[in-house]
Amino acid sequence: MKARLPDSALDQLFRAAHTAHGFRPEPVPDETLLALYELLKWGPTSFNCQPARFVFVRSPQAKERLKPALSAGNVDQTMAAPVTVIVARDSRFYEHLPSQFPAYDAKPIYENNAAMAQDAGFRNGTLQGAYLMLAARALGLDCGPMSGFNLAAVDAEFFSDGRFRSNFLVNIGAADPAKNMPRGSRLPFATAAQIL
């Protein structure tokens, strides 16, 4: 077994991390976004399929393109966030399987079964979105994930060829603690889990 991470790291990743609802005006440079991807890409996916695609919406012009698709309650926080990540999935992720999983010819599994490709793409792409948030927190960034937006509008604006499909959004940057909401409780182990 590997060494346990120190409590300070566990706090940063989980216990002290809040969903950010406001951000300080501190930019997130390209180097940080590249480092973020370099971390998250190592998270496991089935057959190493890596279906997630990430659009880092940072410029004022790109934010204006995103704004009409946002739910009213998410506009201010998204416009204030230094970066909003569109976590999407590639509907033809399996085209990369020959190079990404050379141990087995998994491409036909998905190429010949649209329903299975949809399920695997959504499941594993969502998992990669969670890796994105953990990597962001590990790099000292705060996250505000959101599903309050019009997926079809985002897809039409950013993925008009139909290959990529949006899943959820994540605002990232340095949170404004004054805009944090009170921390919600979490279900106890006995309610949410069991050991068989």
Side-chain angles (χ1 to χ4, degrees):
M1 183 181 282
K2 294 180 177 65
R4 181 186 188 276
L5 291 176
D7 278 333
S8 60
L10 298 176
D11 288 344
Q12 182 168 324
L13 292 173
F14 294 101
R15 294 186 291 242
H18 285 254
T19 296
H21 292 281
F23 293 87
R24 298 192 306 254
E26 298 175 17
V28 177
D30 287 355
E31 296 77 23
T32 302
L33 297 178
L34 292 170
L36 173 60
Y37 181 74
E38 287 301 313
L39 277 179
L40 81 86
K41 74 180 186 181
W42 296 109
T45 54
S46 60
F47 291 118
N48 196 30
C49 66
Q50 307 168 66
R53 300 296 179 262
F54 305 96
V55 177
F56 294 96
V57 181
R58 187 173 62 185
S59 71
Q61 298 84 359
K63 285 286 190 97
E64 286 300 321
R65 290 173 58 199
L66 182 61
K67 187 176 180 179
L70 300 171
S71 297
N74 289 330
V75 171
D76 291 344
Q77 61 190 344
T78 301
M79 299 310 282
V83 179
T84 301
V85 186
I86 303 171
V87 179
R89 68 186 183 283
D90 181 353
S91 64
R92 297 198 308 265
F93 66 87
Y94 47 80
E95 292 177 358
H96 298 280
L97 286 176
S99 64
Q100 299 307 297
F101 195 75
Y104 176 76
D105 186 12
K107 181 180 176 183
I109 294 171
Y110 301 111
E111 187 175 38
N112 299 322
N113 189 329
M116 187 175 284
Q118 157 72 20
D119 288 349
F122 180 74
R123 182 181 313 106
N124 288 281
T126 302
L127 187 60
Q128 288 186 279
Y131 297 147
L132 171 113
M133 290 186 285
L134 288 174
R137 288 174 173 177
L139 294 174
L141 297 167
D142 296 295
C143 302
M146 300 176 294
S147 57
F149 69 101
N150 183 319
L151 278 79
V154 168
D155 289 351
E157 181 62 33
F158 291 90
F159 310 124
S160 60
D161 71 357
R163 178 170 178 152
F164 299 166
R165 296 186 180 112
S166 58
N167 186 345
F168 63 100
L169 306 177
V170 184
N171 289 327
I172 60 173
D176 177 355
K179 300 207 174 155
N180 279 350
M181 296 181 180
R183 182 124 201 178
S185 64
R186 298 299 191 264
L187 293 171
F189 185 94
T191 303
Q194 58 181 309
I195 300 172
L196 300 176

